[in-house]
Amino acid sequence: MKNYTVKLYQETDYEKWNDFIGQAKNATFLFHRDFMEYHKDRFEDFSLLVFENEKLVSILPANKVNDTVYSHQGLTYGGLVYLKKIKGTEVELILDSLLSFLKHNKIKTFYYKPIPTFYLPDGNSEVDFFIFKRGALLEKIEMNLAINMSVPLDISKSKLKHFRRIQEMDLDIIEEKDFKPFWELVLEPRLSEKYNVKPVHNCTEITLLKQKFPKNIKQYSAYYEDEIIAGITIFETDTVVKSQYGATTKKGEELRALDFLFISLIQKYKEEGKYFFDMGIVGDDNEKGYNSGLLKQKEELGCSVYNQDFYKIIL
């Protein structure tokens, strides 16, 4: 029987943690400490490291609220991270070690939010099975819309018709170095006007993250007559492109500039060999539990539904 030891993350583990992320089977740049800690003032970190003797074999990005641990509220997705050579029976033992550690530290509830399966060509469902067998409840499912880029694109005829019409206009797509035009002239005003909310990242935060992860975070904007009318912020991994933010001005709505920008980027990343284009969830607080307009829009751009699962285990 292998012997695993669990310990809380400390600042001295910074390099060890990040080196592990670079080798892991099921990690993205969101699990790098530089990404996790841009908002560390908002969360009480409770990230865990699992060792076999002295060797690091697994990590869990997590935060704590009173006697509850989440994996991780500040990240789009999370879950147990481990090396490719770790097999199913070892994942089971690692999970048991983690749950035992949580109980020992008087944690009563553990919320587990795995990374969507389409991010990981090598699979990532071992923990889902084992945590279910230990009494976890599938507390919530969100519809995550994504395009499988390995098959022919299935963009609706009406979207393509408008795309070809806009191609004839003098619309420029620019990869921005500065996030301010999109944040201050498009994203923040539109989110405030339509939903009375602010983006999760402010302009200073997204600029800082761009400096830390220049190859992973990109801003594409559409300009008409030298005026920004739409933009999409991209989070890019080796295999998946995620539209983290997408917004348009009223003028951009009239021209259907956001659809034009989406289709242009979908085609660009398909040609570059990305596996999936992730357009995020369509959840809503309404009675249905989802935004039907967003669902329709993303399906017309060629998306299919892939579940984002949320588990809850009472310890």
Side-chain angles (χ1 to χ4, degrees):
M1 179 72 73
K2 293 194 175 184
N3 183 33
Y4 294 108
T5 304
V6 183
K7 61 168 281 192
L8 275 171
Y9 173 82
Q10 304 292 330
E11 287 185 8
T12 53
D13 298 316
Y14 173 86
E15 289 188 8
K16 186 179 295 182
W17 178 286
N18 290 332
D19 287 345
F20 187 84
I21 290 298
Q23 305 168 42
K25 164 188 175 179
N26 54 344
T28 73
F29 74 98
L30 270 67
F31 300 157
H32 194 286
R33 295 308 305 190
D34 286 347
F35 190 96
M36 291 178 62
E37 293 177 6
Y38 86 87
H39 53 17
K40 62 181 180 182
D41 57 315
R42 301 179 210 169
F43 301 97
E44 181 183 350
D45 192 81
F46 203 80
S47 297
L48 302 176
L49 301 92
V50 184
F51 294 86
E52 181 188 349
N53 298 321
E54 298 297 317
K55 183 180 180 181
L56 182 60
V57 295
S58 182
I59 61 172
L60 179 75
N63 71 286
K64 177 174 173 283
V65 180
N66 299 321
D67 57 3
T68 300
V69 166
Y70 299 83
S71 74
H72 177 301
Q73 286 178 297
L75 300 176
T76 307
Y77 43 72
L80 193 63
V81 179
Y82 44 89
L83 300 173
K84 188 173 182 178
K85 65 181 181 181
I86 297 291
K87 303 305 179 186
T89 53
E90 295 168 294
V91 172
E92 181 178 22
L93 294 173
I94 289 169
L95 175 63
D96 285 341
S97 299
L98 280 169
L99 297 179
S100 177
F101 180 88
L102 295 176
K103 291 178 185 178
H104 181 73
N105 283 271
K106 297 181 170 53
I107 300 301
K108 294 183 178 178
T109 311
F110 177 38
Y111 288 92
Y112 189 81
K113 179 173 57 176
I115 185 170
T117 54
F118 61 80
Y119 272 80
L120 305 161
D122 294 325
N124 187 46
S125 297
E126 297 94 335
V127 182
D128 299 21
F129 174 84
F130 293 125
I131 200 170
F132 175 77
K133 297 297 276 186
R134 278 146 186 79
L137 301 174
L138 183 56
E139 187 189 49
K140 182 173 71 169
I141 297 176
E142 294 278 15
M143 288 191 288
N144 196 135
L145 276 291
I147 300 171
N148 183 346
M149 309 278 261
S150 66
V151 299
L153 297 176
D154 187 25
I155 301 170
S156 74
K157 291 180 180 179
S158 63
K159 295 280 188 194
L160 289 175
K161 178 182 177 181
H162 289 296
F163 176 76
R164 287 189 287 269
R165 176 180 61 81
I166 299 169
Q167 275 183 314
E168 298 174 0
M169 302 174 62
D170 188 18
L171 207 67
D172 296 319
I173 296 178
I174 296 173
E175 183 177 349
E176 305 265 32
K177 294 182 179 179
D178 186 357
F179 287 89
K180 280 187 178 180
F182 177 59
W183 243 252
E184 295 181 357
L185 300 176
V186 185
L187 183 62
E188 289 179 335
R190 292 299 273 171
L191 286 179
S192 176
E193 176 188 344
K194 296 180 74 173
Y195 307 108
N196 195 30
V197 298
K198 296 179 180 180
V200 173
H201 307 87
N202 62 39
C203 192
T204 300
E205 289 170 340
I206 197 70
T207 300
L208 174 64
L209 289 172
K210 169 68 173 178
Q211 292 169 356
K212 298 282 188 181
F213 304 97
K215 294 181 180 179
N216 303 105
I217 300 176
K218 299 174 182 177
Q219 175 63 42
Y220 293 95
S221 301
Y223 283 79
Y224 180 66
E225 297 179 343
D226 297 325
E227 176 188 354
I228 185 171
I229 58 173
I232 296 173
T233 310
I234 292 293
F235 280 14
E236 182 178 342
T237 71
D238 290 342
T239 58
V240 179
V241 177
K242 183 179 191 301
S243 55
Q244 186 69 18
Y245 296 107
T248 181
T249 64
K250 289 183 179 179
K251 180 64 176 178
E253 280 185 352
E254 294 173 9
L255 298 177
R256 298 178 183 259
L258 190 59
D259 282 349
F260 178 78
L261 190 50
F262 264 121
I263 294 172
S264 298
L265 292 177
I266 291 164
Q267 292 176 342
K268 162 186 161 63
Y269 283 111
K270 181 177 175 62
E271 290 173 4
E272 291 181 8
K274 294 296 182 185
Y275 295 175
F276 280 88
F277 195 111
D278 179 6
M279 291 195 188
I281 63 173
V282 292
D284 202 309
D285 293 332
N286 62 22
E287 193 173 311
K288 290 183 177 180
Y290 69 94
N291 185 313
S292 56
L294 270 181
L295 177 62
K296 180 175 183 290
Q297 177 196 14
K298 294 179 181 184
E299 285 179 329
E300 288 182 347
L301 284 167
C303 287
S304 298
V305 174
Y306 297 85
N307 287 346
Q308 169 68 74
D309 298 333
F310 296 79
Y311 294 94
K312 174 183 179 180
I313 185 167
I314 305 299
L315 299 171

